[in-house]
């Protein structure tokens, strides 16, 4: 996450700087994070608060929201009450009331969803439940990834998949 420090506008241009989680005793409110994955997808993370933890390079995020925007127009939105960010491993693990949505095709819940910050990779170990298109779906695992820069996003439900089609 980046935070803007207060600078004298007459002498310096204000740039955001990288945060050392160990210095977040009281937390950081309303932080924003933006980057590009190695697959070329835009990544935006926002939160209500980031708080340091006992683990090195790990912070607790309250009310985390992740948005992934791909060139193909397939956008992914993830939200949860809490998440753990590990800077060293470059990942974010969403937990408590996790919801994954895409533009109009999918709305999924899972107890925990893992996402990478340097590549386009989302992984949920089930139970995964929700809507996919006009169907109800349940599965033991969900993977969303991009194999390379030119490929489309792959959505893979595995491990005991149950689909109930709802004609509409």
């Amino acid at each position: 996450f980046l935070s803007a420090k207060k600078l004298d506008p007459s002498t310096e241009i204000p740039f955001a700087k990288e945060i050392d989680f160990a210095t977040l005793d009281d937390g950081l409110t309303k932080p924003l994070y933006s980057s590009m994955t190695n697959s070329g997808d835009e990544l935006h993370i926002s939160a209500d608060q980031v708080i340091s933890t006992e683990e090195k390079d790990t912070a607790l995020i309250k009310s985390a929201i992740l948005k992934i925007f791909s060139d193909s127009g397939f956008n992914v939105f993830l939200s949860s009450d809490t998440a753990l960010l590990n800077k060293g491993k470059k990942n974010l693990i969403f937990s408590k009331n996790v919801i994954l949505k895409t533009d109009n095709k999918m709305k999924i819940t899972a107890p925990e969803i893992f996402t990478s910050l340097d590549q386009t990779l989302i992984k949920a170990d089930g139970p995964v439940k929700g809507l996919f298109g006009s169907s109800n779906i349940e599965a033991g695992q969900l993977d969303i990834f991009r194999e390379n820069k030119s490929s489309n996003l792959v959505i893979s439900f595995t491990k005991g998949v149950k689909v109930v089609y709802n004609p509409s």
Side-chain angles (χ1 to χ4, degrees):
F1 279 85
L2 303 176
S3 73
K5 68 177 186 175
K6 291 186 180 183
L7 301 171
D8 179 359
S10 62
T11 60
E12 294 181 277
I13 298 172
F15 287 102
K17 66 174 188 170
E18 192 154 341
I19 301 267
D20 176 12
F21 290 155
T23 64
L24 293 177
D25 295 333
D26 296 331
L28 176 66
T29 57
K30 303 292 183 192
L32 300 172
Y33 172 89
S34 293
S35 71
M36 294 286 275
T37 67
N38 60 10
S39 307
D41 295 319
E42 271 184 69
L43 198 79
H44 297 268
I45 303 171
S46 60
D48 281 348
Q49 189 174 29
V50 177
I51 304 168
S52 65
T53 65
E54 298 293 321
E55 291 184 50
K56 183 180 179 352
D57 288 336
T58 302
L60 174 68
I61 300 175
K62 292 185 177 180
S63 298
I65 299 172
L66 167 74
K67 298 175 185 175
I68 299 175
F69 301 100
S70 69
D71 286 339
S72 64
F74 187 83
N75 302 319
V76 178
F77 307 96
L78 250 169
S79 65
S80 69
D81 291 347
T82 60
L84 278 179
L85 172 68
N86 187 306
K87 279 179 25 178
K89 294 179 181 177
K90 296 182 181 177
N91 67 31
L92 185 58
I93 300 172
F94 290 81
S95 58
K96 292 189 183 170
N97 297 319
V98 182
I99 299 172
L100 181 145
K101 293 181 185 179
T102 62
D103 294 329
N104 60 2
K105 299 178 189 207
M106 185 167 53
K107 182 178 180 183
I108 300 292
T109 61
E112 188 174 279
I113 294 182
F114 165 92
T115 186
S116 176
L117 299 179
D118 60 351
Q119 59 183 322
T120 305
L121 172 65
I122 297 171
K123 187 175 186 93
D125 289 322
V128 176
K129 297 179 182 181
L131 298 171
F132 187 63
S134 61
S135 302
N136 291 330
I137 192 161
E138 291 183 24
Q141 184 172 319
L142 167 66
D143 294 294
I144 301 174
F145 59 94
R146 183 182 303 279
E147 292 178 338
N148 55 51
K149 285 187 179 186
S150 63
S151 70
N152 289 325
L153 285 174
V154 175
I155 300 172
S156 171
F157 290 95
T158 56
K159 298 185 179 175
V161 179
K162 297 176 189 171
V163 178
V164 177
Y165 178 71
N166 295 321
S168 47

